[in-house]
Amino acid sequence: MRKLVYYVAVSLDGRIAGPGGEFDFFPGGDEQQSAAYSTWTNTLFPETVPTAYRAAVGLTDAPNRHFDTVVMGLGTYRPALDAGITSPYAHLRQYVVSSTLKPDTDPAVTVVPGDPLTLVRELKREDAGLNVWLCGGGKLAGALLPEIDELVVKNYPVVAGAGIPAFDGAFDPTVFDVAERTAFPNGVTLTRLTRR
């Protein structure tokens, strides 16, 4: 069965974005550290680089390694829309969970106005394919917590103080086990966790 994997960047206080949706406060280190870190993560997860930026980082023809499908909330999709990009991950099947987004925003994007749990359960039951990437945001992650099989957390050495939490939902303690952890010279740690 395919897995739902929440691959996300977080601050030390568990924020995936600032109060206004900003994400440019995550420190990357100096130029050399930032380049090494980006190269490593882009090589490991090339499909998580938006289509518009793949050529600039040498991933034009890179095959998808882990994911063939992305699920995101409107808040995660909104920055692309604001930039005039209606299909941010054209190299993946794209689903946006939203009750307000028009269903004909882009033919390559499926708008899901209803229950995201039903959608994810159907995607996970598909016979073939790679895993499903939960791109964000916090409310959607909170709603999908029962179906999240793995977390891949890029933890940055910064405290946001306020903003969008990685999980925004009901109190529901859910234990995950650390499967692997990599630390980078820029202070970022990447941890893969699996549901217990």
Side-chain angles (χ1 to χ4, degrees):
M1 181 182 284
R2 288 152 48 96
K3 296 177 183 175
L4 178 65
V5 181
Y6 189 19
Y7 175 77
V8 65
V10 299
S11 64
L12 292 173
D13 53 346
R15 306 296 180 175
I16 60 174
E22 57 273 277
F23 50 86
D24 57 353
F25 64 90
F26 290 108
D30 65 30
E31 189 174 327
Q32 184 178 3
Q33 291 171 336
S34 180
Y37 168 71
S38 294
T39 298
W40 193 90
T41 55
N42 291 347
T43 301
L44 187 59
F45 294 100
E47 58 271 65
T48 64
V49 176
T51 305
Y53 303 108
R54 289 170 66 88
V57 294
L59 296 174
T60 303
D61 298 321
N64 297 337
R65 295 188 60 193
H66 299 278
F67 311 116
D68 61 13
T69 305
V70 60
V71 176
M72 66 189 103
L74 181 58
T76 301
Y77 184 55
R78 176 68 56 203
L81 278 180
D82 291 347
I85 301 169
T86 57
S87 180
Y89 297 99
H91 52 283
L92 300 172
R93 285 191 306 165
Q94 303 167 90
Y95 294 87
V96 177
V97 177
S98 172
S99 60
T100 59
L101 187 65
K102 294 179 182 178
D104 61 350
T105 299
D106 188 289
V109 175
T110 302
V111 177
V112 180
D115 178 20
L117 282 169
T118 299
L119 165 69
V120 165
R121 288 174 180 145
E122 289 171 1
L123 292 172
K124 288 172 69 172
R125 281 194 297 267
E126 292 176 347
D127 289 336
L130 300 174
N131 291 325
V132 179
W133 171 31
L134 172 56
C135 184
K139 286 183 183 177
L140 183 57
L144 291 176
L145 181 57
E147 289 296 325
I148 295 175
D149 301 290
E150 288 188 9
L151 302 168
V152 179
V153 179
K154 300 178 290 184
N155 197 273
Y156 285 78
V158 61
V159 173
I164 300 169
F167 291 90
D168 188 1
F171 182 73
D172 184 14
T174 305
V175 178
F176 287 81
D177 292 321
V178 173
E180 59 187 283
R181 181 172 284 141
T182 305
F184 298 90
N186 63 353
V188 178
T189 58
L190 187 139
T191 307
R192 186 173 68 85
L193 303 106
T194 57
R195 182 180 286 274
R196 184 175 286 181

